[in-house]
Amino acid sequence: MTPDHDRSRSPGGRVPLPDLLRGHRLAAGLTQAELATRAGVGVRTVRDLERGRATRPQRTTVDLLADALGLTGPARQAFLAAARPAQTAAPHLPAGDSDAVAPHLPDATTAPRPAARHLPVTGSATTDSGTPIALPQPVPLLGRDRDVDEVAALLSEHPVVSLVGLAGVGKTALALSVAYAAAADHPAGVTGVLVGEGSDAADVLAASVAVLGVNRLADLPCRLGGRSALLLVDAVERAPGPVAEALRALVAAAPTLRVLVTGRRPVGLPGELVRPVAPLDVPPLGQEPADVAELARWPAATLFIARLAQARREPPTRAELPALAALVRRLGGLPLAIELMAARGRILDVTELLDRYGDRVLDLAGVRPGWEAADPAAGTVTLREAVATSYHLLAPAERAALRRLSAFRNRWSVELAEDLLADGGERRDAVPLLDRLRELGLLSVRGTGRLRFRLLDAVRDFATEQAAVEGELTGIRRRHAVVVAGLVRRTAPSLVGAELPAAVHLLDEATSDITAALAHAAEDDPATALLLAAALPRWWRLRGRDVSGRRWLRRLLADPRTADASPVLRAWALLGSARLAAEHGAGGVELPAARNALAIFQAAGDVTGELSARSVLCTLLSAAGTQGQAREQAEAALELATRHGRIRETAVAHQHLTWHDVRAADLAAARRRLATVDRLATQCGEPRLRLLARADLAEVTRLEGRYVDAVEQGRRVASALVELGEPGRWRQVFGTVGLALALDGRAAEALEVVAELRPARRVPGQRRPPGVEVLDPPGERRDVPPEEVVCALIEGHLALHRGDRELAVEWFSAAAESAGGGGERRDLVEALVGLAASTGDVAVLDRLDRACRATGIRLLPREEALLYALVARRERAGRGD
């Protein structure tokens, strides 16, 4: 089927655009929705064009539709001609605070047209230095001060500076501000021209020399007289070839002329300096704003708040602030998107905006100011169309690469891009591609670290849509999961030792990619998902994600599609699940899994795996109360690590054995062993292990009765653990601080610790270690968290110190009951000692004696002294003394 050329024609003899479009679409076998998706435009745009409601479509929209229909040669020329009725010249370049206000300026073409189709910008001003300016007054910009200064400085070094970027990113607004800021450096004047659709080089040149004050190019050098002038050329994407030809002639004729260009792509001149315009900065992920002032530190949020104020009278409420931060992040800081979204605040609050539009920002549409009211449909713009125009400037191979890169959810490196783009294992240099994407404003480059590249959110969403249209999405996501798994597995060994902070930071940066890779691979490629998850437990533990991380491991291990995975890989996954379970009091459930992992590592001769398994078993067996077995595992690990010269693992084994010295009430031996741990950790460059040894030393100091020293040591370590992560160890050492405070009678400080440790009692604004999870695994019994036992002990000691024995009995009984169900048996003994001191009940003493014999724990000298005094008092009371 072909377009019907016998239907009614326009007065010029051409087939009307609605008929041509409908005919070509039907000939291609496409629905309106399918054509819109393929072209990257809104389905409403296609519908309005076919119904004749949009009589002056944008040239870029027509080009996108022609590309999607596969039109070439005469058919394409006829299609483009049908879309270009007679138009009038634009009177001037309108002012605005961003391209979001005027993302596409009206065409400056006519048919028939006068000789100068590019009219100068009208209006005039004069700087203090006497420089004449024929440009609209700029409005204040948000977050662009540095950009203005940098671009103004570049104009002194380069004849042509091009501001490139997506429609709506703020190129025109920035150019106007730069022109005024740099006016003093251009005494011959500052002026500008607006490029229109279909212009030729003669028109651009004629308009340019006219606004510069001459009739012929040859007269321009005399007019400037060796002084510098600045010419702003806006919207060069409408006629890039003619603009390049005209500017080449201008720069050659007048060396003192400086040209500032705006467009979606560079002009392509020798000596041209391309300066991409990035979106506005957005609030970082994970940082909840406390108030509007804090949120307003980020230019994207400030712009949204300002535009929201135009839509409604009430400022954002405190409850709306998290949604506002999330919304501007989702909009990628793009001023056009922010303008369009804020306008909907007339009807919806910010939370409703996020819920309704957060997942479909590409569909945002609005009416462009400056278009004639007689044809409002021609003035509508969607974010999808704005991105599609830049996307279609890429070559087919570049588009395919962009679709692949859309799999990354956050920042990435050149190496990761090359891994993702590799075909059949063959890596290619990605630098030229990234430079091209940056040149078109599709790619953001921030910072100096390896992970400094990021697709703009709207670009990523659009490219993902195009990947789905091409049937590539599953394959791209599968490759992304493989690449992310490789990154994690390369980084995981550095989660110990001196490189720990850098490794944690790298994985923190990749958090959203790790999450996306796990989610997609778990459905489509579980073997890769297991490979990825098995390398993550140490990072999950450091970031307090023990509950969710363990869920992932258990889910993937239970998936029948991973049954054929390497036994050693499955062993690492089993061990990881057990390690994470210990963090939230569910270690007893994972004892069989840890033993199974140990057997697999031994059979495979994997020394590293065996040492890790024995270390995890030490923790699980101690928590289960089987201290003898725990000591056997620690001694076996010490022997194996010493035999193989593993310094770090030797230190870890000594750290485990420290607590068996404490069980035996040999605190001096525990101190010596911790000194050994500190020495070995220093020798192997393990600052984290040294920090954990100091945390254990604070507890030993408390048990010695040196409460002031224990508080001081514990607080120093706790602060360092907050920075490092380690929420589980943070809770332990903070509990040590609280107990030392309570035993020292410092009630107010001790109760602050209780409030900090108990999530249910936490008050707003209190500090918490980052990333702590407090969720129970569903369908699973979980022991009482150790911090609850510690809190009960703190309350009991405080009550006993102030003489409230009845309340002390309640707290110590609760602590003994909770500790009796699992966890550290030293807590049980301490609770029973406190209970005995509170009641003087012989039955409690008998229970304490049974607990000590069952666990092998010996009482500390101060505990024996307390109980001896209690027994002596009872004997004196019995004699009536």
Side-chain angles (χ1 to χ4, degrees):
M1 182 175 181
T2 59
D4 184 0
H5 295 286
D6 293 328
R7 301 183 63 177
S8 61
R9 298 176 179 268
S10 64
R14 296 179 299 187
V15 178
L17 178 63
D19 294 343
L20 270 180
L21 177 59
R22 185 182 304 107
H24 284 302
R25 175 177 63 78
L26 295 176
L30 299 173
T31 65
Q32 289 180 338
E34 289 170 341
L35 175 59
T37 301
R38 180 177 292 187
V41 301
V43 67
R44 178 183 171 184
T45 299
V46 176
R47 186 182 304 118
D48 288 347
L49 286 171
E50 289 195 358
R51 293 177 179 177
R53 292 179 179 175
T55 59
R56 292 197 314 178
Q58 269 210 101
R59 170 64 181 271
T60 51
T61 300
V62 178
D63 284 338
L64 292 175
L65 291 171
D67 289 342
L69 292 168
L71 301 181
T72 59
R76 185 185 184 93
Q77 293 301 319
F79 186 76
L80 298 180
R84 289 201 298 269
Q87 298 173 341
T88 58
H92 60 81
L93 176 68
D97 73 333
S98 71
D99 281 350
V101 175
H104 298 282
L105 300 173
D107 298 333
T109 58
T110 62
R113 298 185 298 254
R117 292 175 294 172
H118 301 265
L119 299 181
V121 177
T122 59
S124 63
T126 304
T127 67
D128 294 338
S129 61
T131 301
I133 304 178
L135 290 175
Q137 284 287 339
V139 297
L141 294 179
L142 299 171
R144 299 290 194 195
D145 292 346
R146 182 177 176 181
D147 292 333
V148 170
D149 293 341
E150 288 180 355
V151 176
L154 291 173
L155 285 170
S156 65
E157 303 171 3
H158 302 272
V160 179
V161 175
S162 289
L163 302 180
V164 298
L166 290 177
V169 78
K171 302 182 294 295
T172 299
L174 177 59
L176 285 171
S177 294
V178 169
Y180 274 82
D185 298 327
H186 303 89
V190 178
T191 188
V193 296
L194 173 63
V195 179
E197 298 278 6
S199 304
D200 59 31
D203 294 323
V204 177
L205 190 58
S208 298
V209 298
V211 299
L212 288 168
V214 295
N215 294 323
R216 298 182 308 158
L217 179 60
D219 297 332
L220 186 57
C222 182
R223 154 72 176 82
L224 299 182
R227 298 175 302 163
S228 176
L230 177 60
L231 175 67
L232 192 160
V233 182
D234 192 61
V236 298
E237 72 276 357
R238 294 178 171 179
V243 170
E245 183 180 346
L247 293 186
R248 189 178 294 111
L250 278 169
V251 172
T256 60
L257 177 66
R258 293 293 181 261
V259 183
L260 181 59
V261 173
T262 73
R264 298 186 192 179
R265 62 181 178 184
V267 179
L269 292 177
E272 175 187 12
L273 192 285
V274 179
R275 176 62 156 72
V277 180
L280 300 174
D281 288 339
V282 301
L285 185 65
Q287 180 174 317
E288 293 297 332
D291 51 39
V292 173
E294 180 180 341
L295 191 60
R297 292 187 301 140
W298 306 97
T302 302
L303 178 61
F304 188 93
I305 293 169
R307 294 298 172 264
L308 188 65
Q310 297 175 358
R312 74 183 202 190
R313 294 182 179 180
E314 303 80 10
T317 65
R318 187 184 183 91
E320 290 179 298
L321 296 185
L324 198 158
L327 191 57
V328 295
R329 279 195 297 268
R330 189 69 188 88
L331 297 172
L334 193 66
L336 168 64
I338 291 173
E339 297 263 357
L340 296 177
M341 183 68 77
R344 287 160 170 74
R346 287 188 290 269
I347 304 298
L348 305 173
D349 67 28
V350 180
T351 302
E352 291 171 330
L353 289 174
L354 179 63
D355 292 341
R356 180 175 287 266
Y357 298 110
D359 292 330
R360 50 192 186 100
V361 296
L362 288 174
D363 293 325
L364 288 174
V367 177
R368 303 185 189 99
W371 292 81
E372 294 185 17
D375 192 6
T380 60
V381 58
T382 67
L383 194 56
R384 177 178 286 101
E385 293 172 25
V387 177
T389 302
S390 295
Y391 174 79
H392 284 278
L393 294 175
L394 297 169
E398 293 170 335
R399 296 178 197 173
L402 182 65
R403 294 195 295 271
R404 290 194 184 189
L405 292 174
S406 69
F408 287 122
R409 311 308 298 171
N410 195 24
R411 301 190 184 281
W412 32 273
S413 65
V414 174
E415 294 76 16
L416 287 175
E418 290 173 342
D419 287 342
L420 189 64
L421 297 174
D423 287 317
E426 180 183 356
R427 288 169 60 96
R428 298 180 180 178
D429 185 5
V431 172
L433 169 69
L434 301 185
D435 188 49
R436 172 66 170 159
L437 296 179
R438 179 180 179 274
E439 187 179 68
L440 294 179
L442 300 171
L443 178 67
S444 170
V445 184
R446 295 285 178 88
T448 58
R450 289 174 55 201
L451 305 184
R452 62 182 182 277
F453 303 94
R454 189 178 192 275
L455 292 183
L456 304 182
D457 289 57
V459 174
R460 185 186 66 226
D461 291 352
F462 179 82
T464 300
E465 283 187 354
Q466 296 302 304
V469 171
E470 299 292 336
E472 303 168 340
L473 200 53
T474 298
I476 289 174
R477 287 175 171 171
R478 183 177 297 174
R479 179 63 188 168
H480 172 257
V482 171
V483 170
V484 173
L487 170 68
V488 171
R489 290 179 66 81
R490 290 192 301 271
T491 307
S494 298
L495 289 172
V496 297
E499 297 179 357
L500 170 65
V504 170
H505 177 71
L506 179 64
L507 295 182
D508 287 347
E509 285 282 300
T511 296
S512 54
D513 279 294
I514 291 171
T515 302
L518 268 176
H520 295 311
E523 299 295 333
D524 182 62
D525 186 10
T528 297
L530 182 64
L531 191 71
L532 172 58
L536 287 170
R538 191 179 297 275
W539 177 66
W540 275 329
R541 182 168 60 85
L542 289 170
R543 283 296 174 251
R545 299 188 178 108
D546 47 284
V547 173
S548 57
R550 182 170 167 238
R551 286 174 183 165
W552 273 117
L553 287 166
R554 296 182 75 181
R555 170 185 170 181
L556 293 169
L557 284 166
D559 193 321
R561 294 173 293 175
T562 66
D564 295 334
S566 160
V568 171
L569 173 61
R570 290 184 62 85
W572 280 111
L574 289 168
L575 192 62
S577 180
R579 188 192 303 272
L580 296 173
E583 291 294 308
H584 53 263
V589 179
E590 299 286 359
L591 263 172
R595 289 194 170 104
N596 186 17
L598 174 61
I600 293 173
F601 289 134
Q602 287 178 311
D606 189 328
V607 175
T608 300
E610 182 179 349
L611 287 168
S612 296
R614 290 192 184 279
S615 179
V616 171
L617 280 168
C618 286
T619 302
L620 299 184
L621 291 168
S622 292
T626 51
Q627 303 293 343
Q629 294 181 40
R631 181 161 197 148
E632 289 175 4
Q633 292 292 342
E635 290 172 341
L638 179 60
E639 187 279 328
L640 183 64
T642 304
R643 175 157 43 93
H644 287 274
R646 301 291 190 91
I647 298 175
R648 179 185 179 277
E649 286 78 5
T650 301
V652 171
H654 275 296
Q655 192 169 27
H656 283 299
L657 288 169
T658 296
W659 296 106
H660 297 285
D661 293 334
V662 172
R663 280 177 57 230
D666 192 349
L667 298 182
R671 274 189 169 277
R672 289 193 298 272
R673 203 178 288 276
L674 288 175
T676 300
V677 174
D678 187 79
R679 175 176 56 80
L680 294 174
T682 302
Q683 185 177 343
C684 65
E686 255 283 11
R688 171 182 168 273
L689 197 54
R690 292 190 68 193
L691 187 61
L692 298 183
R694 291 172 184 173
D696 292 341
L697 186 60
E699 174 65 2
V700 170
T701 302
R702 182 188 75 85
L703 294 175
E704 290 172 337
R706 297 163 51 200
Y707 304 130
V708 174
D709 291 342
V711 169
E712 183 180 350
Q713 294 171 11
R715 279 179 168 161
R716 284 200 304 266
V717 174
S719 297
L721 286 172
V722 168
E723 297 177 5
L724 178 66
E726 290 283 1
R729 296 307 299 267
W730 177 89
R731 292 190 291 266
Q732 290 177 15
V733 74
F734 213 57
T736 291
V737 171
L739 286 169
L741 289 167
L743 288 164
D744 201 33
R746 296 156 66 176
E749 296 172 84
L751 289 175
E752 288 179 2
V753 172
V754 171
E756 192 75 27
L757 286 175
R758 278 190 177 137
R761 294 190 173 192
R762 180 172 175 248
V763 297
Q766 286 184 319
R767 174 173 52 88
R768 293 290 295 166
V772 175
E773 293 183 322
V774 294
L775 302 176
D776 291 339
E780 176 184 292
R781 179 189 177 278
R782 172 175 170 169
D783 294 332
V784 175
E787 58 267 24
E788 286 296 335
V789 180
V790 171
C791 287
L793 286 173
I794 293 173
E795 298 271 19
H797 284 305
L798 290 175
L800 188 61
H801 189 273
R802 62 177 178 265
D804 190 343
R805 293 183 178 274
E806 183 177 350
L807 183 58
V809 168
E810 293 183 15
W811 282 116
F812 284 128
S813 296
E817 182 68 23
S818 300
E824 174 53 56
R825 291 308 191 266
R826 195 77 195 53
D827 290 343
L828 172 61
V829 169
E830 186 163 349
L832 291 175
V833 169
L835 189 58
S838 304
T839 63
D841 191 344
V842 174
V844 177
L845 293 174
D846 291 340
R847 182 181 174 189
L848 173 61
D849 182 63
R850 291 195 302 271
C852 288
R853 282 188 279 108
T855 61
I857 294 175
R858 292 185 56 184
L859 296 179
L860 298 171
R862 65 176 180 81
E863 294 171 330
E864 290 180 336
L866 177 65
L867 296 178
Y868 178 80
L870 172 64
V871 172
R873 285 199 306 271
R874 288 182 58 83
E875 289 178 350
R876 288 196 300 271
R879 293 195 304 265
D881 294 345

